[in-house]
Structures are given as structure tokens and as C-alpha cells.
């Protein structure tokens, strides 16, 4: 009981520190992770094995970490090194692509393809945001997309804010479609042993249906604000070819990206785990970068990786003390064993929570809870997993602080003088989020019940 | 100090700091920057200045903002950063000007041409000024003054290491209630000319 109280206190302190931004989130999670190891496992539980289980370093040296022989399995509790390895590799690859000018080139190509018409740019950029976010982290997608949007808006004289808001929403939606689209999905997939195609055929399908409604919704909201734009302006400064910094680097990064997509899509068949894919693409990117490898390595967001490690330890502490089973029991009691109600609770709690707090710690905390719910209540674990993924990924769109893509989109707009406060943001994004969560709930009910 | 002269004026609400800054700008023939700074910034970005002024000299709400990899949702932070960058640009180009608030005493510290002043005042005098200027009753004026000072303090202390109004951060802290606005301006003018003279070797 004491261990549970201490574990919950540490968890709450970590969340409070992350929200307050008094100290950086990676320091908060790592510090609280250390406290969890010392106070909960050491002082309260006197359990050396709990410490080892949570650190989970041994898993890296098992064959299953690198090759799953066609079968995937659930990861043990504690630090999910598979997620860490995969995200690191992806960060290196994305950095290489950004340096080569891939994203800017793609944006300008599409803008030219649609003849620089504001409404067409609006719709195609939404779709591009969705597709890119399926494979690349949404921060990078929005960073490039929003910057090009502002540039196009200035030249073509349309308001970039509606386009940026729609791009942000679609990036979060696209992230829910695949296993590597959003960190919660990577954690859910690697923790519960799901494959890329498992996600695509479940959350991916739902996300695609939602995308259709989202495009219609945003078009109705913003069609007047966008107007037709001015297309008779000089667009010679927008030559896609100019975006390419170095043709050799550009070709290589395109090839690496294509290979990554193929490896991810086929990893259930090839048996290569996401940690292998992440490691391989990271190494190949560094080798092909030559002298720039050091620059790429320096650009890796180590703070996020450290944040993940600390977070996994804190959640591992909660799991080891059994407190998450108590929460699972509470959800089971409220829903009285009704699976549909349970799904609704998981979906809406995930969505609402993710609208206000970081969805990564929330998803990591919820995984043991849905595992416990599935075991005790007989609800299919995959259905709960897809529900959790959709709730956490999409819920984040509702408020400016809900997801990283929102923060980056708002920031890029603001730096260019287009202010997006809470009111302006929530007026359009909160109803869109509610709409998509509702559609997702209907899809889940129709497909799985 | 060379030829560049930047006068930064921090102020308590109701102390007459803004009027003093305006008078100094006139006497030294310098442009005065306050919230009008945002008009120039907005013009450069081809946006409406009013949308920026909503967030001028305001501190961010930590609970309702978030930072990701150096990006922030706080409009207050963005507007502050735009102003700091703009001031740095002006100062970097060697321009002379008078700037009211906006953490200028800290942000422009590296420029030898900076003279930083903080204007304070006795509570009674400040309330009297606020009552006259905004046509308020005493209680309402006091409330307005407290709120404005609290906001300025939070804004300043969030963006700077030194504390707002702490005399160690400024070249000169002066109570405008002692001499009155006009004589305070005379006194400051004399001080600034003396500073200029020390650097140029010319009589003030």
C-alpha cells in the first residue's frame, strides 16, 4: 500500500512538473524515474528484480528484439527499448530528409500541380499532411508544411491560418493511421506486439473514413476565409527544384524513405522488428551522410528519448505496484462488464485527457490498464488498443496544447505574425475533434460488435 | 556611449514614466517606441497590428501554454520575442531611440549607448494620476494600478534574470513624485547629457 501511494505521488509530481514547464519534461521524467527506482522498488519493495525488470536492458540482447520470426509478442513491463531504437533511427532519417530539402520540394511540387489555387492547396496540403504523418513524426511534417504554407499565403495573398489549422488536424489524424505515425501508437504496437499492417487495417481505415469528413468540415468552415487567392502573381520564386540543397543527398534520402516505408509495411512478413528497422535506417542514413553524419547525430532530439526512458520507468513503477489494475477494476465497475460502454469510456477519457496533457505518458499509463481490462472482462485487447490509439492521437487536436503538431503549427504561424489564440484555435478544432471521435466510435461499434 | 543613444524607461503604473520617456524623446530628438513598436513589426509582416497588441507586455499563462522543441503556443511569448528582436535590430543598426518598458534595460544591455532608467512614484501621487487620467474613483484606480504593476512585474521577471524595479538593473532609479514630472525630466536630461559628454569628451 505504501509503495502504491509513493508510486502514484511520483507519477502525479511528474505530470505536474511536465505541465508547469518549471523544468524540462525530460528532466522531470528522468528524475521521477530515478525516484521510482530508489523509493518504490528499493525502499518500499526491497525488490532488485523489479528494478531489473523495469530497466529491461536484457531485452536488447535477445533475438526477439531484432527478429520476430513472423510472430510478434508483447514487450515486458519497463523501458520499451524497441520504441527508443525505432524513434532514434527515424529521427536520424527525417533529419537527413529535411537537410536534403525533401519536404519543401514536395510541398512546392504539389502547390505547382494544383496551379497555386488557394482552395486546392488547402485540400491537397491536408491530404499530404495526413499521408506524411503516417510515416514521419508530426512535428517535422508541420514544421515544413506550415512554413511553406505561410510562404505561399504571402505570395498568393490568402490567409494561412485556416490551412495551418487543417494541416495540424490532419497530421494528428494521419498519425493515428499507422504504428509509426504517433508515439502512442509505437508504444502501443511494441508493447502489445502489433504490426504495422494491424494498425493500417484497423486504425488506418477509421482514420481514412474520418479524413473524408474532416476535409468536408474544414472546407465548409474556411471556404469564405480562403477566397480564391491571387494566382496571377509571380511564382518564379517557388521553383520546387530550388528546394533541393544537394541532388545526391536528395536522391539518397528519397530512397531511404521509400525503403523504410517498404520495411515497415512488410515487417510482419519479413520478421524484422521496428527496432531493427529503426537501427538499420539510422545507420544507413549516417553512412550515406558522410561527413554530415556528426551534424545529423547532433540534431537528434535526445531530450525526447530521455523523456521516454524516464516515462517508461515511472509507468513501470505504477505497473509493478499494481495500482493500474485498481484503475482498470474501477473502469470495469463503472461499465458493469458492458464492452461497448468500456470502449466509450476508454475512447472519450483518452481523447479528453490528451486534449490537455501529453498523450505519450497517458498512453503509456493506459496500456497496462487495457491489458488488465481485457484479461478480467474478456474484451478483445486489440479493440481496446485501437480505441486507445485513436482516442489519444485524435483527442490531442482539440486544444492548442494537446499535441506537439499543434504547438509547432501555432508557433510557425505566430512567428510570421498570424496569432492563433485559444479561442480562434478551439472554435474550429474542438468541434472537428468531437466529430472525428464520434465517427471513430461508430466505426469501432460497427466493425467490432 | 559613442554617437548612439538608447534611453530605456521602465516604469511603475501611474508614475508618469511614459510621459517622461516622451519628453526625453522630444528633448533629444529621438523616436519614441512603446506599443507602436508592434505597428512597425506588423507592417513588416503584412499583418494587422491590433492582433499583436492584444498580447503586448503580457505574461504567459503556464497552465494554458506548452513548449515543444523551442516552439511555444504562447502568443505573449511570440509578441515579446518579436519586440526583442526588433529592438536588437534597431540597436544593432546603430539607431538611437527611446523605448518604454519591454525589458529593454536587459535586452539592450550590451550596447554602450544605453541609458537605463526606472521611474517609480509614491502611491498617493500615482493613484492621483491614474484617477485623473482614467477618470476613476480612488479604489478603482488603486486596483488598476496594482493589477498593471503585477502584470508588468510578471512579464519582466519571466523574460529577464534581474527583477523588475530592482535598482541594480538600471543606471538610474528615480521617484517622480519628489520633483514632479517636469523637473524629473530636467534632471534626467542633465544626467544623460553628462553621460554623453563623458564618452565623447565634449561638454554636455
Amino acid at each position: 500500500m505504501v509503495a502504491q501511494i509513493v508510486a502514484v505521488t511520483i507519477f502525479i509530481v511528474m505530470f505536474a512538473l511536465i505541465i508547469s514547464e518549471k523544468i524540462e519534461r525530460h528532466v522531470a521524467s528522468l528524475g521521477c524515474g530515478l525516484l521510482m527506482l530508489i523509493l518504490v522498488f528499493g525502499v518500499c519493495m526491497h525488490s532488485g528484480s523489479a528494478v531489473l525488470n523495469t530497466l529491461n536492458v536484457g531485452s536488447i540482447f535477445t533475438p526477439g528484439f531484432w527478429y520476430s520470426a513472423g510472430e510478434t509478442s508483447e514487450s515486458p513491463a519497463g523501458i520499451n527499448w524497441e520504441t527508443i531504437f525505432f524513434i532514434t533511427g527515424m529521427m536520424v532519417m527525417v533529419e537527413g530528409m529535411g537537410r536534403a530539402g525533401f519536404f519543401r520540394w514536395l510541398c512546392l511540387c504539389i502547390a505547382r500541380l494544383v496551379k497555386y489555387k488557394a482552395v486546392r492547396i488547402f485540400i491537397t496540403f491536408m491530404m499530404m499532411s495526413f499521408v506524411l504523418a503516417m510515416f514521419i513524426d508530426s512535428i517535422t511534417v508541420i514544421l515544413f508544411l506550415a512554413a511553406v504554407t505561410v510562404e505561399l499565403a504571402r505570395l498568393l495573398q490568402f490567409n494561412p491560418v485556416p490551412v495551418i489549422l487543417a494541416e495540424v488536424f490532419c497530421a494528428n489524424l494521419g498519425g493515428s493511421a499507422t504504428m509509426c505515425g504517433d508515439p502512442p501508437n509505437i508504444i502501443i504496437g511494441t508493447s502489445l506486439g502489433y504490426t504495422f499492417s494491424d494498425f493500417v487495417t484497423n486504425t488506418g481505415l477509421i482514420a481514412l473514413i474520418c479524413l473524408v469528413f474532416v476535409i468536408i468540415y474544414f472546407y465548409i468552415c474556411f471556404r469564405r476565409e480562403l477566397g480564391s487567392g491571387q494566382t496571377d502573381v509571380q511564382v518564379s520564386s517557388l521553383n520546387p527544384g530550388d528546394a533541393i540543397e544537394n541532388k545526391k543527398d536528395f536522391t539518397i534520402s528519397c530512397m531511404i524513405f521509400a525503403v523504410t516505408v517498404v520495411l515497415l509495411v512488410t515487417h510482419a512478413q519479413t520478421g524484422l522488428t521496428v527496432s531493427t528497422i529503426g537501427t538499420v535506417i539510422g545507420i544507413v542514413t549516417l553512412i550515406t551522410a558522410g561527413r554530415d553524419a556528426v551534424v545529423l547525430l547532433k540534431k537528434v532530439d535526445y531530450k525526447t528519448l530521455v523523456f521516454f526512458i524516464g516515462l517508461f520507468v515511472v509507468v513501470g513503477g505504477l505497473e509493478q505496484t499494481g495500482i493500474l489494475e485498481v484503475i482498470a477494476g474501477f473502469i470495469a465497475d463503472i461499465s458493469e462488464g458492458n464492452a461497448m460502454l468500456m470502449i466509450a469510456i476508454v475512447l472519450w477519457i483518452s481523447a479528453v485527457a490528451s486534449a490537455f496533457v501529453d498523450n505519450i505518458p497517458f498512453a503509456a499509463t493506459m496500456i497496462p490498464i487495457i491489458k488488465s481490462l481485457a484479461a478480467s472482462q474478456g474484451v478483445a485487447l486489440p479493440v481496446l488498443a485501437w480505441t486507445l490509439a485513436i482516442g489519444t492521437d485524435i483527442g490531442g487536436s482539440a486544444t492548442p496544447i494537446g499535441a506537439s503538431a499543434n504547438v509547432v503549427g501555432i508557433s510557425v504561424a505566430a512567428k510570421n505574425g498570424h496569432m492563433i489564440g485559444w479561442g480562434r484555435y478551439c472554435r474550429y478544432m474542438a468541434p472537428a475533434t468531437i466529430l472525428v471521435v464520434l465517427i471513430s466510435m461508430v466505426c469501432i461499434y460497427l466493425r467490432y460488435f | 556611449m559613442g554617437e548612439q543613444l538608447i534611453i530605456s524607461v521602465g516604469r511603475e503604473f501611474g508614475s508618469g514614466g511614459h510621459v517622461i520617456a516622451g519628453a526625453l524623446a522630444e528633448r533629444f530628438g529621438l523616436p519614441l517606441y512603446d506599443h507602436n513598436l508592434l505597428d512597425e513589426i506588423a507592417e513588416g509582416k503584412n499583418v494587422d497590428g491590433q492582433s499583436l497588441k492584444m498580447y503586448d507586455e503580457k505574461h504567459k499563462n503556464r497552465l494554458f501554454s506548452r513548449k515543444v522543441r523551442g516552439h511555444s503556443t504562447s502568443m505573449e511569448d511570440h509578441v515579446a520575442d518579436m519586440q526583442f528582436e526588433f529592438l536588437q535590430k534597431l540597436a544593432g543598426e546603430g539607431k538611437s531611440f527611446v523605448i518604454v518598458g519591454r525589458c529593454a534595460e536587459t535586452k539592450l544591455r550590451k550596447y554602450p549607448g544605453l541609458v537605463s532608467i526606472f521611474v517609480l512614484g509614491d502611491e498617493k501621487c500615482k493613484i492621483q494620476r491614474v484617477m485623473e487620467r482614467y477618470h476613476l474613483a480612488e479604489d478603482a484606480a488603486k486596483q488598476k494600478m496594482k493589477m498593471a504593476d503585477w502584470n508588468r512585474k510578471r512579464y519582466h521577471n519571466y523574460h529577464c534574470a534581474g527583477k523588475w524595479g530592482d535598482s541594480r538593473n538600471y543606471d538610474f532609479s528615480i521617484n517622480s513624485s519628489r520633483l514632479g514630472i517636469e523637473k524629473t525630466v530636467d534632471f534626467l536630461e542633465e544626467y544623460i547629457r553628462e553621460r554623453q559628454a563623458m564618452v565623447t569628451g565634449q561638454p554636455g
Side-chain angles (χ1 to χ4, degrees):
Chain A
M1 184 66 182
V2 177
Q4 286 184 343
I5 293 170
V6 176
V8 170
T9 307
I10 292 172
F11 181 74
I12 292 170
V13 167
M14 182 190 75
F15 245 110
L17 287 173
I18 292 172
I19 293 168
S20 74
E21 289 182 359
K22 288 274 184 196
I23 52 175
E24 288 196 69
R25 67 174 189 166
H26 67 284
V27 179
S29 81
L30 200 64
C32 290
L34 281 173
L35 274 180
M36 193 67 91
L37 290 176
I38 297 166
L39 295 180
V40 177
F41 297 150
V43 177
C44 299
M45 293 168 69
H46 306 290
S47 172
S49 61
V51 174
L52 289 177
N53 284 343
T54 304
L55 292 177
N56 202 20
V57 180
S59 69
I60 301 170
F61 304 101
T62 57
F65 186 81
W66 304 100
Y67 182 69
S68 60
E71 285 177 19
T72 51
S73 59
E74 288 182 17
S75 288
I79 300 174
N80 187 331
W81 290 107
E82 221 174 315
T83 298
I84 305 289
F85 275 57
F86 177 69
I87 290 178
T88 309
M90 290 297 276
M91 280 178 180
V92 174
M93 181 197 75
V94 167
E95 200 54 51
M97 289 170 75
R99 276 173 64 84
F102 173 83
F103 298 106
R104 193 176 146 74
W105 169 82
L106 187 63
C107 292
L108 293 182
C109 277
I110 289 179
R112 190 167 66 177
L113 200 71
V114 297
K115 297 187 168 53
Y116 303 105
K117 300 264 187 200
V119 174
R120 290 185 196 171
I121 288 174
F122 173 66
I123 291 170
T124 50
F125 274 35
M126 266 197 273
M127 291 195 271
M128 179 164 59
S129 177
F130 179 92
V131 173
L132 284 176
M134 287 169 71
F135 302 98
I136 293 164
D137 77 285
S138 55
I139 296 178
T140 308
V141 171
I142 292 301
L143 204 54
F144 285 94
L145 223 54
V148 175
T149 302
V150 170
E151 198 180 336
L152 285 169
R154 197 175 294 140
L155 271 171
L156 306 175
Q157 293 173 20
F158 64 84
N159 182 0
V161 173
V163 189
I164 291 175
L165 289 179
E167 286 165 0
V168 164
F169 195 94
C170 290
N172 291 330
L173 187 61
S176 73
T178 66
M179 183 169 159
C180 60
D182 207 11
N185 292 20
I186 304 168
I187 300 172
I188 291 168
T190 50
S191 302
L192 302 178
Y194 297 133
T195 64
F196 188 88
S197 45
D198 287 335
F199 271 89
V200 170
T201 51
N202 291 281
T203 58
L205 203 62
I206 294 171
L208 199 62
I209 294 167
C210 293
L211 179 67
V212 177
F213 286 91
V214 165
I215 290 173
I216 296 167
Y217 168 83
F218 280 122
Y219 177 73
I220 293 169
C221 287
F222 295 133
R223 67 187 190 283
R224 283 201 190 93
E225 218 170 317
L226 277 169
S228 55
Q230 197 172 323
T231 51
D232 56 344
V233 291
Q234 278 289 332
V235 286
S236 54
S237 62
L238 297 174
N239 179 21
D242 296 342
I244 302 168
E245 300 285 331
N246 176 318
K247 277 199 172 167
K248 185 183 142 227
D249 288 351
F250 176 79
T251 312
I252 291 171
S253 61
C254 285
M255 284 165 65
I256 293 175
F257 180 55
V259 170
T260 306
V261 172
V262 172
L263 285 176
L264 283 169
V265 172
T266 59
H267 85 113
Q269 288 75 37
T270 59
L272 297 175
T273 60
V274 288
S275 35
T276 307
I277 297 170
T279 309
V280 168
I281 58 165
I283 290 172
V284 170
T285 306
L286 290 175
I287 291 170
T288 53
R291 284 181 190 166
D292 289 340
V294 181
V295 182
L296 291 186
L297 276 175
K298 278 185 185 166
K299 290 264 186 175
V300 168
D301 184 11
Y302 294 104
K303 289 179 180 178
T304 296
L305 298 175
V306 171
F307 167 67
F308 273 113
I309 292 171
L311 174 69
F312 286 134
V313 174
V314 174
V315 175
L318 288 178
E319 200 175 354
Q320 298 268 355
T321 55
I323 189 74
L324 297 180
E325 283 176 24
V326 176
I327 297 172
F330 180 68
I331 294 175
D333 283 346
I334 294 176
S335 57
E336 293 174 335
N338 182 332
M340 286 175 85
L341 189 56
M342 220 175 284
I343 291 293
I345 290 172
V346 171
L347 183 66
W348 285 98
I349 286 181
S350 305
V352 173
S354 299
F356 296 98
V357 297
D358 199 330
N359 64 2
I360 301 167
F362 183 81
T365 314
M366 283 298 287
I367 290 167
I369 294 177
I370 62 166
K371 270 161 83 173
S372 177
L373 272 176
S376 63
Q377 302 297 310
V379 184
L381 181 59
V383 182
L384 284 166
W386 313 140
T387 305
L388 176 63
I390 289 169
T392 49
D393 297 338
I394 293 168
S397 295
T399 68
I401 58 170
S404 303
N406 317 358
V407 179
V408 174
I410 289 169
S411 175
V412 171
K415 280 182 178 144
N416 288 282
H418 302 281
M419 311 317 268
I420 307 175
W422 268 72
R424 195 176 187 187
Y425 182 94
C426 293
R427 196 185 314 150
Y428 301 106
M429 301 291 263
T433 308
I434 293 167
L435 175 77
V436 168
V437 174
L438 275 173
I439 294 168
S440 304
M441 191 166 74
V442 172
C443 289
I444 291 169
Y445 284 163
L446 289 176
R447 180 158 177 196
Y448 305 109
F449 290 92
Chain B
M1 197 176 284
E3 289 187 357
Q4 186 179 38
L5 174 62
I6 302 169
I7 304 170
S8 79
V9 183
R11 73 291 184 213
E12 284 182 347
F13 192 76
S15 67
H18 197 280
V19 178
I20 290 169
L24 287 173
E26 211 174 299
R27 290 190 189 189
F28 285 91
L30 301 176
L32 173 72
Y33 288 114
D34 47 19
H35 57 82
N36 62 357
L37 200 66
L38 288 170
D39 289 326
E40 287 200 26
I41 293 171
E43 202 181 317
K45 293 183 184 293
N46 200 19
V47 294
D48 176 23
Q50 286 307 321
S51 65
L52 305 183
K53 284 180 183 170
M54 279 170 68
Y55 305 101
D56 184 26
E57 273 204 308
K58 287 189 178 152
H59 58 88
K60 78 166 182 181
N61 187 327
R62 284 178 191 273
L63 202 60
F64 291 105
S65 59
R66 189 177 156 193
K67 260 189 175 173
V68 173
R69 295 191 208 170
H71 293 274
S72 170
T73 57
S74 164
M75 295 300 111
E76 294 83 0
D77 278 1
H78 284 289
V79 168
D81 287 342
M82 281 178 201
Q83 297 191 80
F84 299 154
E85 272 171 34
F86 191 81
L87 288 174
Q88 292 282 0
K89 186 172 157 271
L90 285 179
E93 288 167 355
K95 288 184 177 153
S96 296
F97 54 91
V98 177
I99 170 74
V100 181
R102 285 142 191 95
C103 307
E105 88 290 340
T106 305
K107 301 295 174 188
L108 302 179
R109 185 167 283 165
K110 68 178 179 185
Y111 295 96
L114 174 73
V115 178
S116 57
I117 297 161
F118 187 82
V119 183
L120 57 149
D122 290 342
E123 187 164 305
K124 268 191 177 177
C125 296
K126 289 192 292 179
I127 292 173
Q128 193 59 41
R129 276 185 63 83
V130 176
M131 286 168 66
E132 285 167 14
R133 176 135 191 233
Y134 296 97
H135 310 292
L136 293 172
E138 189 177 340
D139 281 353
K142 196 174 176 179
Q143 190 63 30
K144 187 176 179 69
M145 189 181 84
K146 278 192 169 175
M147 185 57 82
D149 279 345
W150 184 73
N151 276 325
R152 283 179 186 170
K153 187 177 172 182
R154 284 193 67 186
Y155 166 82
H156 180 280
N157 295 353
Y158 173 72
H159 291 289
C160 307
K163 301 287 178 208
W164 179 74
D166 183 337
S167 59
R168 287 168 294 190
N169 293 325
Y170 307 87
D171 293 335
F172 212 93
S173 284
I174 189 162
N175 186 331
S176 63
S177 309
R178 294 286 173 270
L179 296 173
I181 301 291
E182 196 61 31
K183 286 198 170 156
T184 301
V185 176
D186 293 342
F187 189 79
L188 287 171
E189 183 188 356
E190 198 178 327
Y191 168 78
I192 294 165
R193 293 206 188 279
E194 198 61 42
R195 281 271 306 268
Q196 283 183 305
M198 277 178 74
V199 175
T200 57
Q202 302 287 319

